[in-house]
């Protein structure tokens, strides 16, 4: 029955043995160790907590690993008893292990898992696999000492892994641009991830619990809507989604028909060539007429296909425009909120206050930099005192000696005589003696050179 989740067939004895050997080959061959592990649990854990916990940890890890290796997310006591059968014996404490795992939240009854997500799923048979009435699903497992052999349990860790993998496969496929896909298309797409439809249903239930997908029943067909990138959660399936889904399906069907008619036309042309070479002209013409009819139908369908694609493009554009408009609206709302207490008058007032404060600061800085003064009369007195100090600091001229010329030194020098230097010795001695007499004359005394 399409859409009904089917159970994974139980493993045969040979398959069980090989699967178990591959899982834990070392311990599985140790008879003493396995005899202890296959024995039942003590009624009271406090008798020997170490042995109890060791046995519980072993079977818990082995159950999860075996399910992961097989690619399943559901398990039952009957399946576990057959899977872990060794030397014609089954483990005696598996029921206790299941109860402990359920108490710790590691597994959950399949019926409870489905009902906790959305009871609507039960109406189209995904939750499924119910072997008891729905009211039984809400009974407590912890207080019961018996676990039904065929009761199915979901391994929470594994179903979360499958849900993440399923979402990754969808977003990396050709269906990523389509928010709504059929359950059968999803089954084909996820064949490498989910080994059967039961596993797919559990993964979808987990995704619905995470608000990543929503499942609906439309005209007897199950459709799945995925959350698109950028969205926090998926929205319910609307009439627009259903309309887009039908358009996309029509596009796919028309594309397949156009391709099929194209192949048919090519086949008719090839047959016409063969018949023409064989001299069967009438048959060749008949094949050509069939080729023309196929090409004409393909052209008509292609026009319809282009019309559907144009509509889908417009819908996609409208969705983009809607997103942009929502972004604009959000921006306007945020801007209006941020400018709620801002007005032009307040802005002008603030600018005037800032300018006034800046002017005041400039005046203060100028006043501080000018320093403290005692008036103009004090400045005049200080300048006069400064000039007198400069005059006193000049060096005194040596009395009796001519003042040393400054810049006009060349002009102050005596003129070099231009007379001929051929005077006699007697004349020079006479002139020297006359100069000495003048120097020793009264009123003029030659000071010794220092």
């Amino acid at each position: 029955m399409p859409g009904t989740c089917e159970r994974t067939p139980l493993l045969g004895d040979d398959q069980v043995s090989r699967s178990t050997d591959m899982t834990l080959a070392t311990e599985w061959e140790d008879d003493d160790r396995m005899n202890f592990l296959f024995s039942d649990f003590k009624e009271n854990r406090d008798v020997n907590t170490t042995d109890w916990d060791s046995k519980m940890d072993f079977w818990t890890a082995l159950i999860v690993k075996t399910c992961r290796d097989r690619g399943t997310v559901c398990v039952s006591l009957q399946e576990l008893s057959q899977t872990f059968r060794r030397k014609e014996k089954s483990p005696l404490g598996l029921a206790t292990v299941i109860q402990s795992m359920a108490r710790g939240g590691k597994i959950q009854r399949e019926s409870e898992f489905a009902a906790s997500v959305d009871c609507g799923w039960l109406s189209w048979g995904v939750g499924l696999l119910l072997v008891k009435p729905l009211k039984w699903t809400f009974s407590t497992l912890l207080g019961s000492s018996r676990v039904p052999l065929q009761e199915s349990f979901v391994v929470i860790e594994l179903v979360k892994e499958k849900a993440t993998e399923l979402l990754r496969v969808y977003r990396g496929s050709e269906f990523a641009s389509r928010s709504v896909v059929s359950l059968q298309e999803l089954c084909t797409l996820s064949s490498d991830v989910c080994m059967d439809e039961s596993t797919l249903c559990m993964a979808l239930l987990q995704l619905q619990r995470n608000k990543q997908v929503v499942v609906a029943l439309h005209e007897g067909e199950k459709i799945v809507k995925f959350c698109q990138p950028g969205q926090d959660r998926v929205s319910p399936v609307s009439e627009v989604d259903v309309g887009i889904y039908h358009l996309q399906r029509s596009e796919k069907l028309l594309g397949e028909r156009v391709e099929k008619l194209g192949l048919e036309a090519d086949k008719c042309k090839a047959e016409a060539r063969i018949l023409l070479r064989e001299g069967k002209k009438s048959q060749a013409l008949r094949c050509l007429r069939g080729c023309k009819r196929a090409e004409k139908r393909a052209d008509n369908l292609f026009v319809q296909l282009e019309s559907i694609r144009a509509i889908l493009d417009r819908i996609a554009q409208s969705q983009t425009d809607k997103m942009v408009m929502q972004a604009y609206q959000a921006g306007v709302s945020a801007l209006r909120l941020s400018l709620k207490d801002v007005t032009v008058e307040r802005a002008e007032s603030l600018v005037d206050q800032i300018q006034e404060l800046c002017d005041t600061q400039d005046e203060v800085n100028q006043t501080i930099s000018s320093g403290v003064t005692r008036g103009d009369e004090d400045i005049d007195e200080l300048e006069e005192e400064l000039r007198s100090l400069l005059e006193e600091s000049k060096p005194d001229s040596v009395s009796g000696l001519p003042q040393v010329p400054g810049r006009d030194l060349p002009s102050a020098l005596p003129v070099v005589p231009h007379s001929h230097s051929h005077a006699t010795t007697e004349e020079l001695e006479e002139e020297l003696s006359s100069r000495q007499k003048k120097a020793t004359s009264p009123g003029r005394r030659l000071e010794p050179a220092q």
Side-chain angles (χ1 to χ4, degrees):
M1 177 179 176
T4 302
C5 295
E6 299 178 356
R7 269 280 161 231
T8 305
L10 299 177
L11 297 177
D13 292 340
D14 294 339
Q15 294 174 313
V16 170
S17 179
R18 288 194 299 269
S19 174
T20 307
D21 291 343
M22 288 187 296
T23 303
L24 285 174
T26 304
E27 292 188 291
W28 204 257
E29 297 301 326
D30 188 345
D31 290 338
D32 294 337
R33 174 65 173 167
M34 297 313 300
N35 288 335
F36 163 72
L37 294 173
F38 269 57
S39 63
D40 201 357
F41 287 85
K42 302 293 184 181
E43 293 184 1
N44 189 354
R45 175 180 174 273
D46 296 334
V47 173
N48 192 333
T49 57
T50 302
D51 289 348
W52 177 289
D53 293 341
S54 174
K55 188 185 298 184
M56 184 64 67
D57 293 342
F58 173 84
W59 288 115
T60 299
L62 185 58
I63 289 172
V64 175
K65 179 174 175 53
T66 302
C67 291
R68 181 180 285 113
D69 293 342
R70 292 169 55 187
T72 61
V73 297
C74 298
V75 70
S76 68
L77 180 58
Q78 184 178 14
E79 292 175 357
L80 292 177
S81 298
Q82 294 185 8
T83 300
F84 299 136
R85 191 171 180 83
R86 179 180 183 272
K87 294 184 177 180
E88 305 301 326
K89 294 182 181 180
S90 297
L92 300 178
L94 290 178
T96 305
V97 175
I98 290 178
Q99 288 177 330
S100 177
M101 292 179 69
R103 190 180 296 110
K106 296 180 179 179
I107 63 174
Q108 189 178 8
R109 279 176 171 165
E110 188 178 87
S111 54
E112 292 177 348
F113 181 79
S116 65
V117 176
D118 189 352
C119 292
W121 281 68
L122 303 179
S123 63
W124 55 273
V126 177
L128 357 211
L129 320 179
L130 298 179
V131 294
K132 297 290 183 181
L134 180 60
K135 62 180 181 179
W136 174 86
T137 63
F138 299 100
S139 63
T140 176
L141 175 66
L142 305 182
S144 175
S145 59
R146 293 185 57 188
V147 177
L149 288 176
Q150 296 182 352
E151 178 66 33
S152 182
F153 296 90
V154 179
V155 184
I156 304 301
E157 176 184 350
L158 299 183
V159 77
K160 289 181 179 180
E161 294 177 1
K162 289 295 182 183
T164 302
E165 186 69 11
L166 177 61
L167 188 61
R168 184 192 64 81
V169 170
Y170 160 75
R171 290 180 174 173
S173 68
E174 59 180 343
F175 297 101
S177 60
R178 297 168 50 182
S179 60
V180 179
V181 297
S182 67
L183 184 63
Q184 293 302 319
E185 290 175 332
L186 197 58
C187 285
T188 305
L189 177 65
S190 61
S191 59
D192 294 336
V193 176
C194 302
M195 62 178 301
D196 53 27
E197 194 170 338
S198 173
T199 305
L200 173 62
C201 292
M202 293 301 105
L204 288 175
L205 281 170
Q206 181 62 39
L207 287 176
Q208 180 155 328
R209 174 179 286 181
N210 298 339
K211 309 299 182 184
Q212 296 294 311
V213 304
V214 62
V215 181
L217 189 63
H218 177 71
E219 296 180 356
E221 183 183 21
K222 303 177 187 69
I223 57 177
V224 182
K225 181 180 179 181
F226 282 85
C227 179
Q228 296 301 303
Q231 297 179 350
D232 295 333
R233 57 176 57 192
V234 65
S235 59
V237 179
S238 63
E239 294 183 0
V240 176
D241 295 325
V242 174
I244 295 175
Y245 170 71
H246 284 309
L247 285 173
Q248 290 173 339
R249 289 202 64 184
S250 300
E251 179 189 16
K252 182 179 179 181
L253 292 175
L254 286 176
E256 292 175 354
R257 289 181 182 179
V258 169
E259 184 179 0
K260 184 178 179 180
L261 289 173
L263 295 175
E264 183 180 344
D266 293 339
K267 182 180 178 181
C268 290
K269 283 184 179 180
E271 291 179 354
R273 291 192 187 96
I274 295 173
L275 293 172
L276 189 59
R277 284 196 297 266
E278 294 177 353
K280 301 176 181 179
K281 186 176 180 180
S282 59
Q283 296 181 8
L285 289 174
R286 189 163 52 249
C287 289
L288 285 178
R289 292 191 188 97
C291 175
K292 294 298 181 182
R293 287 194 300 268
E295 290 178 348
K296 186 176 181 179
R297 289 199 304 269
D299 292 340
N300 294 335
L301 291 178
F302 187 77
V303 172
Q304 298 174 12
L305 179 60
E306 288 298 314
S307 299
I308 292 177
R309 287 175 177 173
I311 295 174
L312 289 173
D313 289 341
R314 287 184 177 274
I315 292 174
Q317 182 64 38
S318 66
Q319 292 176 343
T320 303
D321 295 341
K322 181 181 178 181
M323 182 179 63
V324 172
M325 290 298 296
Q326 290 175 349
Y328 284 169
Q329 184 63 40
V332 170
S333 300
L335 187 60
R336 183 181 291 110
L337 184 61
S338 63
L339 296 177
K340 182 178 180 180
D341 299 328
V342 178
T343 60
V344 177
E345 292 77 11
R346 288 192 62 188
E348 292 177 348
S349 175
L350 289 174
V351 171
D352 293 340
Q353 293 179 28
I354 293 173
Q355 185 62 44
E356 183 179 353
L357 291 174
C358 291
D359 294 340
T360 302
Q361 185 183 18
D362 293 340
E363 293 177 359
V364 171
N365 292 335
Q366 184 177 2
T367 302
I368 293 175
S369 62
S370 63
V372 181
T373 59
R374 295 176 56 188
D376 295 340
E377 62 280 1
D378 294 339
I379 295 176
D380 295 338
E381 294 178 2
L382 292 174
E383 289 181 351
E384 183 65 26
E385 185 177 355
L386 181 62
R387 282 195 297 270
S388 64
L389 290 174
L390 291 174
E391 291 178 358
E392 291 177 0
S393 63
K394 291 181 179 180
D396 296 337
S397 59
V398 181
S399 59
L401 293 177
Q403 186 174 358
V404 179
R407 295 181 178 179
D408 297 333
L409 179 61
S411 60
L413 294 176
V415 179
V416 178
H418 295 281
S419 59
H420 297 286
S421 60
H422 52 273
T424 61
T425 302
E426 293 80 2
E427 291 176 353
L428 292 175
E429 291 178 354
E430 183 180 355
E431 184 178 356
L432 178 60
S433 62
S434 63
R435 288 179 178 275
Q436 290 178 351
K437 290 179 181 180
K438 290 180 180 181
T440 57
S441 62
R444 293 187 63 180
R445 185 166 57 98
L446 183 63
E447 296 181 359
Q450 295 179 356

